Amino acid sequence: GQYMALGDLGEAVPLLENARKIQQAMSTGPGQLRGGDRESREHLGLMCQRLGECYTLLEKHAQAIEPLEQSKVMAEEMGNREIQEKACASLGDSYYSLGQFDMAIQMLEQAQTTVPRRKQGALLITLGCCNDSLMQHEKAASLFEQAIAIAEEVGDRLNQGVARMKLGEIYRVTNQPAKAIEMQEQAKVILEEVGDGVGVASSINLLGNCYFSLGQYEKAVRLYEEARTIEQEEGVYLGVQCNNLGNCHFQLDHFQQAFGLYEEARMFAQEAGNREYECTLWGSLGRCQTALFNYEQAVACYKAQWSMAEELDLVDRQAVAALNLGVIIWAQARVEHFDNSAAPLPSTHARPAAYMDSTRNASQWFETALKLSMSPVSGDVHVKEMEDALLHLSFLAFDVGQEDDALDFLRQLLYAQMGSLQRVGVGSQSSCRGCFQKGGKDVVMLVCSGCGIARFCNADHQKMASKKGELRSPARHKDMCLLLKKWQQVVEGNEAAEACTPDLLAFLRLDPWRKHRAPVPAGRTSV
């Protein structure tokens, strides 16, 4: 206890573990209380509680679970509501940090029945975060609003600011930008008043997210820079801000600057031992190298992402890496054999053997991406990766003269889009065609007036879906819109699939590389 009070948690843990063993030896087993053992078992329950709190403060949440569960069981046996409430609240925090949101909600709701009014605001905030992570945005918003009301009632200014910050993010993801900005600005003022520098940086960062979502990248850059400055002063991990700034500069076509920021973020992630985040950042680095037409360097980045994702069993990241490797290998072959990707290609029989070898290699990566994106191991179909893989397989097959395969892949893509886009109605979730994020079950989405099928988070994302895509996503929604409308007639049985073949072939003749600037071969520099 003395070490905990002094803040030396590393010293406290082994002492508490040892004390727990001694106390456990002095106590009877669970459920077998004797009068003489009650005091020692109460001490044991308290010891477990303190040990769990130490692990929680050290962010060793997996290790915190066992002593906290033991403390909870013993508190229930003793009828000690105070220790039981503390154990449930701490368990809720640990399960939340471990991503086990249903378990976290169960523990926090148990704690809610006994926790004092002054502590309910913090508990409701964590409950709201759990529901938000489960895409239950409406319920999360209600919990954050309750937290604000209670925090105001008991004069808890810190949680007034934190709850507003969380509620503002809910408004952002549910396409209410004006309310989101207003809430984040209120949170920033309150957190500045209470002197919570880290909280202020978080609110500014989330305010930056609002402007990023609105496509106001220059303003987002200014806010992310401001947040990074505060985090440097507070000695906080800076990787997230570097990544956010990288995303902005990438959108502004400042690819070299974005690359430097992503690399800085990757180094922070590596230093912190956050390998999952580092894996994601290898993909961002590859994206920059692709945009700069540095294909060999891009391949190296995506191979690093693939290896790390495979090692960590991150199926979604494997699918992304495989897809990007296929794209780069194909793009590089176009440059090497035809110099300018926007130039007309020779007829199929004139393609060099080396080019055909490259396309087979690319095809294997696309097939791998498709398989991984639909893998049950991943827990869900990764819609964007699946659709991009089918799209590239169709274009690639057409490029090498395999027209029947190309049509088959394109039909699969249309069926896939019809399936993912038409999952609407009560209790359903649909993916935005602009950002490819799923809307929550309570989010109203815009419907494309052209095909009547595609959904969008907002008007800005609808515009985003019709802009020139990256190499990985060459077909815009407006390219697919007419096809989707016609294919709906096939799905509804009003038209034969063969009747759409001329339209499918016309789409495939739109060389995907024509939508991009000509890649720059090795040794040249881009303008």
Side-chain angles (χ1 to χ4, degrees), residues 193-354:
E193 283 177 12
V194 299
D196 181 4
V198 175
V200 171
S202 294
S203 66
I204 294 171
N205 175 59
L206 292 173
L207 195 55
N209 290 351
C210 292
Y211 286 106
F212 184 91
S213 296
L214 290 169
Q216 298 182 33
Y217 303 119
E218 292 90 348
K219 189 156 189 176
V221 165
R222 290 195 293 274
L223 289 161
Y224 290 143
E225 290 282 12
E226 184 182 350
R228 184 163 71 159
T229 300
I230 296 170
E231 287 181 347
Q232 283 175 321
E233 293 168 356
E234 296 287 334
V236 174
Y237 170 72
L238 298 170
V240 173
Q241 294 306 340
C242 292
N243 180 61
N244 288 342
L245 283 163
N247 290 338
C248 287
H249 284 292
F250 188 90
Q251 292 296 332
L252 292 166
D253 291 348
H254 304 158
F255 303 126
Q256 198 65 58
Q257 197 168 349
F259 181 87
L261 287 158
Y262 287 139
E263 177 60 17
E264 195 176 344
R266 190 191 70 78
M267 294 300 291
F268 277 120
Q270 189 178 60
E271 213 174 283
N274 190 340
R275 302 195 71 215
E276 185 172 341
Y277 191 37
E278 185 184 359
C279 180
T280 300
L281 287 162
W282 274 118
S284 299
L285 289 166
R287 196 163 57 124
C288 288
Q289 295 288 22
T290 304
L292 291 165
F293 308 116
N294 297 327
Y295 290 147
E296 287 184 12
Q297 294 92 323
V299 167
C301 290
Y302 288 130
K303 283 188 174 177
Q305 184 183 34
W306 168 268
S307 297
M308 192 171 284
E310 190 174 33
E311 183 185 338
L312 299 174
D313 197 27
L314 301 173
V315 176
D316 57 335
R317 253 58 64 92
Q318 279 184 269
V320 169
L323 180 59
N324 282 314
L325 281 165
V327 169
I328 298 306
I329 289 165
W330 188 15
Q332 196 168 19
R334 295 282 294 235
V335 171
E336 287 175 0
H337 296 287
F338 307 112
D339 186 59
N340 187 325
S341 72
L345 286 180
S347 60
T348 318
H349 68 272
R351 281 162 169 66

Side-chain angles (χ1 to χ4, degrees), residues 397-416:
F398 193 75
D399 180 42
V400 297
Q402 298 170 1
E403 187 176 291
D404 289 343
D405 287 343
L407 288 168
D408 183 53
F409 284 126
L410 186 52
R411 290 183 189 113
Q412 288 183 54
L413 172 62
L414 291 168
Y415 276 123

